[in-house]
Amino acid sequence: MKIISKSAFLSEQSSLASTQHDQSLLAKVTDIISIVKEQGDDALFSFTKQFDCVQVNKLRVDEQEITEARNIVGESFITALKEAQENITRFHVAQKQTSWFMGEQNGVFLGQKVTPLDRVGIYVPGGKAAYPSTVLMNVIPAKLAGVTSISIVTPPQADGKVNPYVLTAAYETGVDHIYKVGGAQAIAALAYGTETIDKVNKIVGPGNSYVAQAKKMVYGDVSIDMIAGPSEICVVADKTANPRYVAADLLSQAEHDEEASAICITTSEEMANAIQDEVKKQMATLERKEIINISIERNGRLIVCPSLEVAFELVNEIAPEHLQLMVENPYNHLPVIRNAGAIFLGNYSPEALGDYFAGPNHTLPTNGTAAFASPLGVYDFVKKSSVIHYTQDALSSAADSIVKLAEAEGLTAHANAIRVRKTD
Amino acid sequence: MKIISKSAFLSEQSSLASTQHDQSLLAKVTDIISIVKEQGDDALFSFTKQFDCVQVNKLRVDEQEITEARNIVGESFITALKEAQENITRFHVAQKQTSWFMGEQNGVFLGQKVTPLDRVGIYVPGGKAAYPSTVLMNVIPAKLAGVTSISIVTPPQADGKVNPYVLTAAYETGVDHIYKVGGAQAIAALAYGTETIDKVNKIVGPGNSYVAQAKKMVYGDVSIDMIAGPSEICVVADKTANPRYVAADLLSQAEHDEEASAICITTSEEMANAIQDEVKKQMATLERKEIINISIERNGRLIVCPSLEVAFELVNEIAPEHLQLMVENPYNHLPVIRNAGAIFLGNYSPEALGDYFAGPNHTLPTNGTAAFASPLGVYDFVKKSSVIHYTQDALSSAADSIVKLAEAEGLTAHANAIRVRKTD
């Protein structure tokens, strides 16, 4: 793992910064979406055969397959899942929003009504991998928001079934519909509807580059959570950090995929060397060492900074998805952290704890978007409506000012709508 | 104005429903964005000459131009503006969110930190029109959120100056930077930065089809508020409504542009006829009657429904930007309204009141997106970060469950990050 200075890191980054738009991906996804719009379920079956190399004969997962799945996963998995579910629920309950109103003495009544979304679709990656935690992190806030109908789409395995861990998590969280279809075709089905799959109001959940491109293209016709990039961690370590822990956390991030990014910023050159040694040592023992090795080589960096102040400036510039503060008195530094998806404090709060278990959502803004975006939450599954009531007297007192403003904009029919009410 | 049944209306709508992607617009905007990225300020000057037909020699509006503007608009405008500003501020203060934390007995500490965005850019349409109300409705929530730097971009008038009403509103609300540049080129400048204009984290505000397309294209690199379509009103009127008022409100909506949509759903055929007569009568007296006539012809509809229940079903299907309930006891119907940007209650709460003055935001979801989107608010100008702290003991108790879940996903380096902390 390369040890570099802050300025060397920044110049490395800026040479990578310009977004690449993949024109061939764009064309392929455009085609997939328009074919799904035209041909509905038939298109889904044929794309599943083409891309997932499996012939399914129905899209909807039935009760029998769910029962089978629960028998496969075993009791101890279900116990751990339920414990995580409880923690995630307890945290997200605190995000619930209520309608509010303000009444004034003159009879003016203003407010905001909060209403859950009617229908939400969740993309759960599948195929070789299995992400039951994706199910928990997306379904629980949607349920708490009061969404009427929650659908999951997920690609089938080679045997035509859905991964049993995913199915069990969907059962435990009370998902309404589960469809075995993935890729851009699943996003198109959720956005525009087919014979079997109902059109939804919002699509959430992670996916590969096809899924991300499709979500970007249907955005506006439906709402989406975010365009997720590869996962990232940034650890800030002073001399009090434990290099074994830091290394383990960097490696856990790197195993996600070859594009994942694991960065450690430290104020101690000695610490940088110790972490470097630990990374090498632990990597050798890990199952996914091929992926990890490529990812660490490509995006893993140990950055030595002269002070924590400089380190936090860099953190705010990077706006990392996951930030671990493995420093003395980590709470003290919270006020200066402006941009980060999730902030883990101290030596015993590793990212893996947050990925599965602690309670806060693991769907976090990537690729610097923590500068403007938030973790997924209950607030993503409701929308607000303003409410306005004026009395005749209140409107009459306001009339002259409204007319003045409308006329300044040249919108005289707006002024007319106020005037007709005055002459009564 | 055409009187039709609910079913006739729905079949008319479904024939229009499929979104049209304008390939030539897409290509033009792609070009504009990449030229601004390459050439910076120079590109902005040359596009301004090309599209706005005016040669400006600097982008930043100076203090002298602002002082001049305040002298032009006159005291009575400033008074009305300040009154609106006060109302808008009072309403939006209620939207402010605070960081929150939950501490548990075992030392576990979880929470969500709320941080204002660093830099926000606001697009204010210009040229022939002047929208000081856009300034108020976008700047006030950004200011209340605590955004560090607020920039406005707006196209120059034929004389190379910015509309004085817009400038005055920007001055009164305390905007940090005002740049005279509009169109897709202004969006590109805000998204990627030029020599003069700083890159922002989020772009908000309405615009023409170039602006909307550019916002969609930069979405992901920066955050945006929404892709705004033409403005819409839907009035629900029972026999207690005043047809003069209903007509005036439909006409005020129709004057925005030829694509604007004004719909009234009524349970009374008599009322439909009375409104139709009033529309004709009032239209003849209005300045912008050419635009209004085309808009009413194209998208204006009077829909007769057998009951209010059926009317509200249709409302939820349309998900209108503005909804006026001109019915007896309008409050009683609030619970059944699921989809609407803003809900105006009673005969003395016309949309024009909300556009300028009442306090709630006039930036509202259009084109059916009220099914999943909310009015612009203070919440659009902050982002959240999760905060997680576990003690060694708390992590140790959770370790087995986390390892179980990580292994079910095949992410063994995640399990390792937990295990290294146990063996200490």
Side-chain angles (χ1 to χ4, degrees):
Chain A
M1 194 165 177
K2 221 158 108 182
I3 301 180
I4 58 175
S5 68
K6 182 185 168 188
S7 61
F9 174 77
L10 287 175
S11 71
E12 220 182 47
Q13 289 304 102
S14 71
S15 71
L16 297 169
S18 75
T19 328
Q20 277 136 31
H21 291 284
D22 181 340
Q23 291 300 327
S24 106
L25 179 68
L26 184 75
K28 281 184 210 158
V29 172
T30 305
D31 273 356
I32 294 171
I33 292 175
S34 76
I35 293 170
V36 172
K37 269 178 158 176
E38 272 166 36
Q39 300 174 11
D41 284 353
D42 282 348
L44 301 183
F45 289 121
S46 88
F47 283 128
T48 301
K49 199 171 170 193
Q50 184 183 341
F51 296 125
D52 303 299
C53 306
V54 48
Q55 175 85 58
V56 297
N57 45 32
K58 59 179 185 149
L59 295 166
R60 192 186 292 274
V61 173
D62 58 27
E63 272 183 49
Q64 199 196 323
E65 194 175 330
I66 296 170
T67 311
E68 273 172 33
R70 300 187 70 227
N71 291 332
I72 294 169
V73 299
E75 271 311 312
S76 67
F77 171 77
I78 294 179
T79 306
L81 186 83
K82 282 187 172 169
E83 222 179 315
Q85 187 179 359
E86 210 172 279
N87 289 345
I88 298 165
T89 302
R90 192 162 54 236
F91 182 82
H92 285 80
V93 160
Q95 293 176 337
K96 286 180 79 167
Q97 297 175 315
T98 48
S99 302
W100 57 265
F101 297 99
M102 43 168 76
E104 295 181 26
Q105 289 197 341
N106 57 357
V108 168
F109 182 92
L110 305 171
Q112 224 164 20
K113 181 179 189 281
V114 177
T115 312
L117 303 189
D118 288 334
R119 290 179 304 282
V120 164
I122 299 171
Y123 191 92
V124 180
K128 283 177 223 160
Y131 297 118
S133 62
T134 302
V135 177
L136 298 186
M137 293 293 184
N138 285 274
V139 177
I140 292 171
K143 273 273 173 192
L144 287 173
V147 170
T148 317
S149 166
I150 301 174
S151 299
I152 279 182
V153 291
T154 189
Q157 302 174 145
D159 63 359
K161 297 197 171 172
V162 169
N163 178 283
Y165 295 95
V166 167
L167 273 192
T168 302
Y171 174 85
E172 293 296 338
T173 49
V175 169
D176 300 289
H177 310 284
I178 309 167
Y179 302 107
K180 45 180 96 173
V181 58
Q185 59 275 21
I187 301 300
L190 289 174
Y192 304 109
T194 69
E195 301 89 319
T196 303
I197 299 179
D198 268 353
K199 180 176 161 31
V200 300
N201 306 119
K202 182 162 190 165
I203 301 174
V204 300
N208 63 16
S209 57
Y210 282 77
V211 171
Q213 181 65 46
K215 280 170 73 181
K216 178 154 183 171
M217 294 182 73
V218 303
Y219 167 71
D221 291 338
V222 297
S223 178
I224 64 171
D225 51 350
M226 61 181 74
I227 317 265
S231 195
E232 322 142 8
I233 194 173
C234 174
V235 179
V236 178
D238 64 13
K239 63 181 186 332
T240 70
N242 183 326
R244 276 183 66 214
Y245 301 173
V246 177
D249 297 343
L250 296 172
L251 293 165
S252 78
Q253 186 55 43
E255 82 170 328
H256 275 292
D257 62 73
E258 295 163 0
E259 298 302 323
S261 149
I263 286 168
C264 173
I265 307 173
T266 177
T267 48
S268 151
E269 191 129 11
E270 224 180 310
M271 179 59 64
N273 290 321
I275 295 168
Q276 195 178 39
D277 290 347
E278 275 292 334
V279 164
K280 199 186 266 177
K281 202 167 105 191
Q282 291 182 40
M283 194 192 308
T285 71
L286 294 170
E287 254 178 55
R288 293 164 70 90
K289 54 177 165 282
E290 277 78 27
I291 294 171
I292 294 173
N293 192 32
I294 296 171
S295 155
I296 291 285
E297 195 63 38
R298 204 175 275 174
N299 300 314
R301 293 293 180 272
L302 285 158
I303 305 162
V304 181
C305 268
S307 68
L308 278 180
E309 205 186 335
V310 176
F312 290 128
E313 272 170 26
L314 182 55
V315 165
N316 283 330
E317 221 158 310
I318 297 173
E321 183 189 11
H322 304 95
L323 173 66
Q324 287 188 196
L325 301 188
M326 298 172 82
V327 297
E328 229 182 333
N329 303 319
Y331 282 101
N332 290 359
H333 304 288
L334 270 182
V336 303
I337 307 294
R338 294 182 65 83
N339 301 332
I343 308 166
F344 297 80
L345 304 176
N347 283 319
Y348 295 95
S349 311
E351 188 203 312
L353 162 70
D355 284 347
Y356 293 109
F357 196 79
N361 212 287
H362 79 190
T363 307
L364 297 168
T366 58
N367 198 24
T369 60
F372 52 75
S374 302
L376 191 74
V378 174
Y379 36 77
D380 286 299
F381 298 102
V382 298
K383 76 283 172 93
K384 304 176 185 103
S385 305
S386 303
V387 178
I388 298 167
H389 176 251
Y390 261 51
T391 60
Q392 184 167 15
D393 281 354
L395 185 68
S396 180
S397 315
D400 290 348
S401 295
I402 303 174
V403 167
K404 187 87 202 168
L405 293 166
E407 288 180 341
E409 297 196 350
L411 294 177
T412 44
H414 282 62
N416 176 62
I418 303 299
R419 282 207 191 93
V420 290
R421 287 166 162 94
K422 270 202 100 173
T423 52
D424 241 37
Chain B
M1 193 166 176
K2 221 159 108 183
I3 300 180
I4 59 175
S5 69
K6 182 185 169 188
S7 60
F9 175 75
L10 286 176
S11 72
E12 219 181 48
Q13 289 305 103
S14 71
S15 71
L16 297 170
S18 75
T19 327
Q20 276 138 31
H21 291 283
D22 182 338
Q23 290 301 326
S24 106
L25 179 67
L26 184 74
K28 280 184 211 158
V29 173
T30 305
D31 273 356
I32 294 171
I33 292 175
S34 75
I35 294 171
V36 172
K37 269 176 158 177
E38 273 166 36
Q39 300 174 10
D41 284 355
D42 282 350
L44 301 183
F45 289 123
S46 88
F47 283 128
T48 301
K49 197 171 173 193
Q50 185 183 341
F51 295 124
D52 303 299
C53 307
V54 47
Q55 174 85 57
V56 297
N57 46 30
K58 58 178 185 152
L59 295 166
R60 191 184 292 275
V61 173
D62 59 26
E63 273 183 48
Q64 198 196 327
E65 192 175 333
I66 297 171
T67 310
E68 273 172 34
R70 303 187 69 228
N71 292 331
I72 295 168
V73 299
E75 269 313 310
S76 66
F77 171 78
I78 294 179
T79 306
L81 187 83
K82 282 187 171 169
E83 223 179 316
Q85 187 179 0
E86 210 173 280
N87 290 344
I88 297 165
T89 301
R90 192 161 53 236
F91 181 81
H92 285 80
V93 161
Q95 294 177 337
K96 285 180 81 166
Q97 297 175 316
T98 49
S99 302
W100 56 265
F101 297 99
M102 43 168 75
E104 295 181 26
Q105 287 195 342
N106 58 356
V108 168
F109 182 92
L110 305 170
Q112 223 164 23
K113 180 177 190 280
V114 177
T115 313
L117 302 189
D118 287 334
R119 291 178 302 282
V120 164
I122 300 170
Y123 191 93
V124 179
K128 283 177 220 160
Y131 297 119
S133 62
T134 302
V135 177
L136 298 186
M137 294 293 185
N138 284 275
V139 178
I140 292 170
K143 273 272 172 194
L144 287 173
V147 170
T148 317
S149 166
I150 301 174
S151 299
I152 279 182
V153 291
T154 188
Q157 302 175 144
D159 62 0
K161 297 198 171 172
V162 169
N163 178 285
Y165 295 95
V166 166
L167 273 192
T168 302
Y171 174 84
E172 292 296 339
T173 50
V175 169
D176 301 289
H177 310 284
I178 309 166
Y179 302 108
K180 45 181 94 174
V181 59
Q185 59 275 21
I187 301 299
L190 290 173
Y192 304 108
T194 68
E195 300 90 321
T196 304
I197 300 180
D198 268 352
K199 179 176 163 29
V200 300
N201 305 120
K202 183 162 189 166
I203 301 173
V204 300
N208 63 16
S209 57
Y210 281 77
V211 171
Q213 181 65 47
K215 280 171 73 181
K216 179 157 182 168
M217 294 184 72
V218 302
Y219 166 70
D221 292 336
V222 296
S223 177
I224 64 171
D225 51 349
M226 61 181 74
I227 317 263
S231 196
E232 322 142 8
I233 195 173
C234 174
V235 179
V236 178
D238 65 11
K239 63 183 186 332
T240 70
N242 183 326
R244 276 184 65 215
Y245 300 172
V246 177
D249 297 341
L250 296 172
L251 292 164
S252 79
Q253 186 55 44
E255 83 171 326
H256 276 291
D257 62 74
E258 293 163 1
E259 298 302 323
S261 149
I263 286 168
C264 174
I265 308 173
T266 177
T267 48
S268 151
E269 190 127 13
E270 225 178 309
M271 179 59 64
N273 290 321
I275 295 169
Q276 195 177 40
D277 289 347
E278 274 292 334
V279 164
K280 199 186 267 178
K281 203 167 103 187
Q282 290 182 40
M283 194 191 310
T285 71
L286 294 170
E287 255 178 54
R288 292 164 71 89
K289 54 176 166 280
E290 277 78 27
I291 293 173
I292 294 172
N293 192 31
I294 295 171
S295 157
I296 290 285
E297 193 62 39
R298 203 176 275 175
N299 299 313
R301 294 292 179 272
L302 286 158
I303 305 163
V304 181
C305 269
S307 69
L308 278 181
E309 207 188 333
V310 176
F312 290 128
E313 272 169 27
L314 181 56
V315 165
N316 284 330
E317 221 157 314
I318 297 173
E321 183 189 9
H322 303 95
L323 173 65
Q324 286 188 198
L325 302 188
M326 297 172 83
V327 298
E328 229 182 335
N329 302 320
Y331 282 101
N332 290 358
H333 304 289
L334 269 183
V336 304
I337 307 295
R338 294 183 64 82
N339 302 331
I343 309 167
F344 297 81
L345 304 176
N347 283 319
Y348 295 95
S349 311
E351 188 203 312
L353 163 70
D355 284 347
Y356 293 109
F357 196 79
N361 211 287
H362 79 189
T363 307
L364 297 168
T366 58
N367 198 24
T369 60
F372 52 76
S374 302
L376 191 74
V378 175
Y379 37 77
D380 285 300
F381 298 102
V382 299
K383 75 288 172 88
K384 302 176 187 104
S385 305
S386 303
V387 178
I388 298 168
H389 175 251
Y390 261 51
T391 61
Q392 184 168 17
D393 282 354
L395 184 69
S396 181
S397 317
D400 289 349
S401 295
I402 303 174
V403 167
K404 187 88 202 165
L405 293 166
E407 289 180 341
E409 297 196 350
L411 294 177
T412 43
H414 282 62
N416 176 63
I418 303 299
R419 282 208 190 94
V420 291
R421 287 168 163 92
K422 268 202 102 174
T423 53
D424 241 35

